[in-house]
Amino acid sequence: MSPPRTGPIVILTGAGISKESGLDTFRDADGIWARVNLEDVATPEGFARDPELVQAFYNDRRRGLQSDNVRPNAAHDALARLEAEWADEVFLVTQNIDDLHERAGSRNLLHMHGELLKVRCGACAAVHPWHDNLGAEHDCAACGETGHLRPDIVWFGEMPFGMERIADALDRCALFLSIGTSGTVYPAAGFVAEVERLGQAHTVELNMEASLGATLFRESVLGPATRVVPAYVE
Ligand code: BV8
């Protein structure tokens, strides 16, 4: 790939990029929301109602992520190589809460929906690495408060992380790639419309199937991420 001449490459990823690493997506037929009620486990109200249920939901996903057969795949690796080649030109925004982009070597990375392997204190907002079976009943290592630890994850109705930095990157980008996302969840699903409103960037969707926002992209490449992403970025 030849780098854009006038601005950064902004890449948005979703659960589809981690599917071939063995992690479930949300809205495919075998997805997470087919098994669990989103309202119970991915909203602040659900956490207030039953924190143990929510902690168990995320502890289960942490154990899945940390199993030996879950590793970065060829799509994660290709994005890490792209960043290594065009260092400051690549900004990776992921909706995913797994650590597969980091493990592939991506560094200029923002988890806009938070991270599965971190917990946050509701009392002082300090963020700590998660350890096995850490729950709300544990003390916060920063403020000492008990009963305020929650997954460092953005639930529905909560503001995603890094929105100012993302908006600035979208305004300046020359190329916007959207990979493995259904285009269902906002504000991420609105990024392509923002880039197209400014009109100076090329926009590409690389996905198993056309997303809800497919018609907004100038280019669409359909297929499994491990095939279409390396082919596109190399
Ligand atoms: C907020 C928790 C405001 C983490 C998640 C308009 C504007 C703003 C907000 C809204 C709006 N309209 C509605 C809203 C509210 C809401 C929303 O968007 N609702 C939807 C359902 C309509 N948005 C919010 O609440 C957001 N917050 O807006 O706050 C605010 C303002 C001021 C002050 C305070 C607050 C918060 C959104 C984040 C919610 N958290 N999850 C977790 O448990 O993981 S969202 C959840 O969906 C995940 O985070 C996930 O990342 C995200 C998106 O899903 P995808 O990644 O796209 O996954 P999906 O399964 O849907 O699709 C997978 C795709 O991959 C498919 O297309 C499939 O074909 C493809 N695929 C499959 N296999 C492969 C593949 N592709 C390639 N290769 C393969 N092998």
Side-chain angles (χ1 to χ4, degrees):
M1 164 190 269
S2 57
R5 290 281 165 264
T6 57
I9 300 171
V10 177
I11 303 167
L12 173 69
T13 61
I17 199 170
S18 297
K19 179 77 180 277
E20 290 160 275
S21 292
L23 296 181
D24 287 338
T25 62
F26 291 89
R27 295 168 187 86
D28 286 329
D30 59 350
I32 294 171
W33 297 150
R35 301 194 299 275
V36 182
N37 179 355
L38 170 163
E39 302 292 335
D40 292 339
V41 295
T43 63
E45 296 79 10
F47 185 62
R49 208 169 31 246
D50 190 344
E52 283 70 35
L53 173 74
V54 174
Q55 299 285 18
F57 170 67
Y58 285 107
N59 283 337
D60 182 49
R61 285 174 67 189
R62 289 182 187 109
R63 277 189 286 277
L65 175 58
Q66 294 185 316
S67 63
D68 291 342
N69 55 2
V70 173
R71 287 183 295 276
N73 63 49
H76 298 103
D77 294 341
L79 296 186
R81 283 196 303 275
L82 182 70
E83 178 186 321
E85 207 176 324
W86 305 113
D88 301 339
E89 294 289 331
V90 177
F91 177 37
L92 176 53
V93 179
T94 187
Q95 300 172 91
N96 299 340
I97 60 175
D98 64 54
D99 63 346
L100 297 179
H101 283 306
E102 290 89 333
R103 287 162 58 187
S106 290
R107 291 294 170 268
N108 196 12
L109 167 65
L110 191 154
H111 284 273
M112 66 179 291
H113 290 166
E115 296 180 66
L116 191 53
L117 299 180
K118 290 183 180 165
V119 291
R120 186 167 81 242
C121 174
C124 74
V127 173
H128 309 288
W130 168 76
H131 57 73
D132 205 16
N133 293 327
L134 186 66
E137 70 286 357
H138 289 77
D139 295 353
C140 168
C143 70
E145 287 286 323
T146 303
H148 293 282
L149 292 183
R150 56 162 282 177
D152 189 29
I153 287 170
V154 177
W155 288 322
F156 288 95
E158 296 185 322
M159 177 59 89
F161 296 137
M163 289 306 295
E164 275 186 30
R165 183 179 170 201
I166 294 169
D168 174 60
L170 294 175
D171 288 354
R172 293 183 299 111
C173 80
L175 176 63
F176 177 69
L177 304 183
S178 176
I179 302 172
T181 181
S182 63
T184 308
V185 174
Y186 288 83
F191 290 169
V192 60
E194 174 60 11
V195 174
E196 282 297 339
R197 183 182 65 78
L198 296 161
Q200 89 288 0
H202 185 53
T203 54
V204 192
E205 171 170 84
L206 297 105
N207 208 51
M208 184 65 97
E209 58 194 10
S211 73
L212 294 181
T215 56
L216 297 172
F217 290 88
R218 297 182 190 191
E219 185 181 1
S220 168
V221 182
L222 299 184
T226 55
R227 175 164 59 77
V228 300
V229 175
Y232 194 84
V233 300
E234 254 120 34

